[in-house]
Amino acid sequence: RDWAAAQPWNRGAPVLLGWSHGGSTTLHAWARAEAGTLSAAIAFYPGCGPVPMGRAWRPSGTAPLLMQLGDADDWTPAFRCVELASRAEGRMAYDLYPGAHHAFDAPDTVALRRVNLPNGRQVTAGPNPAARVAARAAVMEFLARNARP
């Protein structure tokens, strides 16, 4: 948030936007931002599980937040984000796309692929054209309602 606010292109309270690990970073920055310092935040398929050292974080941000989630995501499972949003008292919204895996909106991939993680886990990532189109429309609508100069 501080970095975005200091950029020459910033014309007001910034909007945070991140994908995967960047989505998780967006959620954590949103949760810690002082009221009025963010216009909005958008997180694509973030990890909504506990933070390191076993401490669960609280959905305490005040700016509007939108998550874009795939219901078939086995890398950063959507159910954790859905549960987190249920504790956020209306401050977190999400769209859940049927059949969408991690990186469902990636425009440069043409097929699902298996990914081997460093911990030995194997996950699936790849495109879902219908989810990509719907997510883009949802994000543009969200920004039109919430981004402020």
Side-chain angles (χ1 to χ4, degrees):
R1 179 195 55 82
D2 292 338
W3 176 86
Q7 299 309 301
W9 42 258
N10 182 36
R11 294 189 201 113
V15 173
L16 296 181
L17 175 62
W19 286 260
S20 193
H21 186 74
S24 302
T25 301
T26 295
L27 290 181
H28 287 276
W30 168 83
R32 289 168 177 72
E34 295 176 23
T37 59
L38 289 177
S39 289
I42 303 165
F44 276 78
Y45 33 87
C48 292
V51 296
M53 300 167 53
R55 298 174 299 145
W57 66 279
R58 290 165 198 64
S60 55
T62 58
L65 180 130
L66 176 65
M67 294 183 288
Q68 298 295 285
L69 311 170
D71 79 344
D73 191 335
D74 56 359
W75 195 334
T76 54
F79 77 88
R80 291 183 178 135
C81 296
V82 170
E83 193 278 326
L84 185 64
S86 75
R87 295 186 287 137
E89 300 170 353
R91 292 184 314 276
M92 298 175 84
Y94 64 88
D95 295 309
L96 186 61
Y97 299 104
H101 292 273
H102 200 80
F104 64 81
D105 62 323
D108 59 345
T109 56
V110 294
L112 290 177
R113 65 190 186 286
R114 299 296 290 168
V115 178
N116 295 311
L117 301 180
N119 66 3
R121 223 172 97 209
Q122 194 175 63
V123 296
T124 307
N128 182 308
R132 178 176 40 241
V133 168
R136 181 178 175 142
V139 166
M140 297 308 288
E141 180 182 315
F142 178 79
L143 288 172
R145 283 192 325 266
N146 296 294
R148 63 180 192 266

